[in-house]
Amino acid sequence: MRGHKLLLLACLPWLTLPAWADAPFDSDSEVPRVLTPARLDQPISEVPASVTIIDRELIRVSGARELHEVLRLVPGMAVAKADGNVPTVSYHGTQARDTRRMLVLIDGRSVYQPGFARVSWNDLAVSLEDVERIEVTRGPASAAYGANAFTGVINIITRDPRDSVGQRVSVRAGNNGIRDARLGASHQFENGAFRVSVSSQHDDGYDAGITPLENGDAKRVDKLNSRTVFELSPRDTLTVHAGGSRSRLDRPPESGLQELADYYDDTHQVGERAFFGLDWQRQFSPRHQLKVSAYGQYTNEDNNL
C-alpha cells in the first residue's frame, strides 16, 4: 500500500504571542501562561479549557526516549504500541488505533494524516531535545481549530534558536539493540539565529521470544529538524521551519501469509516525510501581534505486508 500526500496551507491571521516571547510563568503571579486553547497568550487560570503543560525540564527528568512517551504524564491520555513498534496516543482511550478526533500540531503545523486517520508518531521530524514545551488541551477545541480537534489538541513547540547557542553531541545505547545518536547546533548572527539537529534512533524491538514480535518489531528512524529566525525590523520577524524524516519498521506478516507460499519477502514499512514552513509576525504592542503562517508537507509511505 502506498500513500502520497502534498499539502499546502495558508493559515488565517491570528493574534497571539510567539512561543519564545514569554516565559511559561506570569512574572507577577507565577501563574503559567499558555498559547494553545484560544490561540491567545493567556494565564492558564483564564483559559476556557483544561490544559496540561509539559516543559523542557519535565521532559528531561522524565527519562523518556521518544516523544510519545512523555504524553503518559497527561491525565486521561492513553499511550500504547501496536504490533510492538507503532506508537498510538489517544485521549481517554477512544479510537486508540485511528485517532481521527485529536489534533497534533508542531509549531502550528498539523501532522495529522487525513488519508490514514492517524498521526505517525515514529515519523515526526522532531527529537525530544528540540522541544521547548508541549501544551495539551484536554477537551473539545473545534471552535478554535476546526475538524479533528473534537477530543483535544496536542501542541508541540520547538525551541527558539535565540534561546540557545553552541553544539551538542549525544549517544545512547542499551538493551534490545538500542542505538541512538544526535548532533545539534545553534548559532546567533546579527539579525537572527538558526538551530539545526540531526538524530537517529534504532532498536530491535521487544525481546518477547514469541511470534509475531520475535522478528517483526525492529525500527530505525532518522530525523532532521531546523528553525531559523530573521529579525527583519524591530516589529517584524520571519521564521523558517524545515526538516524531514525517514523510517523503516519491521512489521509482523499478515496472519496466514506463510501458508500461501514457501518464499515471501521480509515485511516492512518505509516512510519518508519532509516539511517547509514560514511564519511572519508583526508586533503591535506587548500584548497584540499579527501572525501569518504557511507550510507545505510531503509524505510517502510504502508498506510491504
Side-chain angles (χ1 to χ4, degrees):
M1 177 177 62
R2 292 179 181 271
H4 184 86
K5 177 181 69 173
L6 182 63
L7 173 65
L8 181 62
L9 176 65
C11 298
L12 293 176
W14 45 287
L15 296 178
T16 183
L17 283 176
W20 59 270
D22 280 319
F25 291 92
D26 189 298
S27 59
D28 297 326
S29 61
E30 295 297 321
V31 175
R33 305 186 71 88
V34 294
L35 307 171
T36 306
R39 292 190 169 186
L40 296 170
D41 174 68
Q42 296 174 295
I44 195 172
S45 58
E46 297 179 6
V47 299
S50 299
V51 182
T52 296
I53 302 173
I54 304 175
D55 60 18
R56 186 175 181 83
E57 179 63 18
L58 183 56
I59 293 174
R60 186 186 67 82
V61 301
S62 70
R65 174 175 170 251
E66 299 180 76
L67 182 60
H68 67 274
E69 294 176 354
V70 300
L71 295 174
R72 291 192 173 101
L73 303 174
V74 179
M77 197 68 74
V79 180
K81 285 189 176 182
D83 302 327
N85 59 5
V86 179
T88 179
V89 179
S90 61
Y91 189 51
H92 285 311
T94 56
Q95 295 293 322
R97 188 67 179 261
D98 302 319
T99 53
R100 64 180 183 273
R101 297 186 179 95
M102 184 176 66
L103 185 64
V104 180
L105 306 171
I106 299 180
D107 293 325
R109 171 177 58 90
S110 173
V111 293
Y112 175 79
Q113 296 177 273
F116 297 101
R118 70 183 184 191
V119 173
S120 183
W121 290 93
N122 280 322
D123 299 297
L124 299 186
V126 59
S127 62
L128 274 177
E129 292 83 356
D130 296 325
V131 177
E132 179 64 30
R133 72 182 188 272
I134 302 173
E135 296 180 0
V136 181
T137 302
R138 310 192 318 271
S142 295
Y145 290 93
N148 305 317
F150 180 72
T151 62
V153 177
I154 299 175
N155 188 13
I156 302 167
I157 301 170
T158 62
R159 197 171 192 191
D160 191 283
R162 291 169 290 185
D163 294 336
S164 61
V165 64
Q167 298 78 39
R168 183 174 181 179
V169 178
S170 61
V171 178
R172 178 193 294 116
N175 60 337
N176 293 346
I178 291 178
R179 298 181 296 279
D180 298 344
R182 180 182 180 273
L183 172 62
S186 58
H187 176 72
Q188 299 184 3
F189 47 89
E190 182 178 0
N191 295 319
F194 75 86
R195 171 186 57 77
V196 62
S197 68
V198 179
S199 61
S200 176
Q201 290 184 323
H202 190 182
D203 64 66
D204 295 336
Y206 290 105
D207 187 14
I210 59 175
T211 303
L213 297 182
E214 185 175 8
N215 298 311
D217 64 339
K219 72 176 181 180
R220 174 168 182 167
V221 184
D222 301 317
K223 304 177 181 180
L224 169 67
N225 184 275
S226 68
R227 182 173 175 178
T228 306
V229 177
F230 300 95
E231 296 176 348
L232 305 178
S233 71
R235 294 195 301 167
D236 295 288
T237 303
L238 178 66
T239 303
V240 180
H241 306 269
S245 67
R246 178 178 174 83
S247 64
R248 179 187 171 94
L249 310 179
D250 289 345
R251 306 287 285 135
E254 294 290 342
S255 177
L257 182 61
Q258 303 94 321
E259 301 175 1
L260 297 179
D262 294 333
Y263 172 80
Y264 59 89
D265 294 336
D266 292 337
T267 55
H268 62 266
Q269 174 181 313
V270 176
E272 295 179 342
R273 289 168 174 80
F275 70 91
F276 180 83
L278 295 173
D279 294 335
W280 172 69
Q281 301 170 355
R282 164 64 66 92
Q283 196 80 33
F284 295 104
S285 71
R287 288 307 223 181
H288 297 86
Q289 178 195 71
L290 175 67
K291 178 178 179 181
V292 179
S293 299
Y295 65 86
Q297 297 187 136
Y298 166 82
T299 298
N300 185 28
E301 188 171 296
D302 182 6
N303 294 336
N304 176 22
L305 301 179

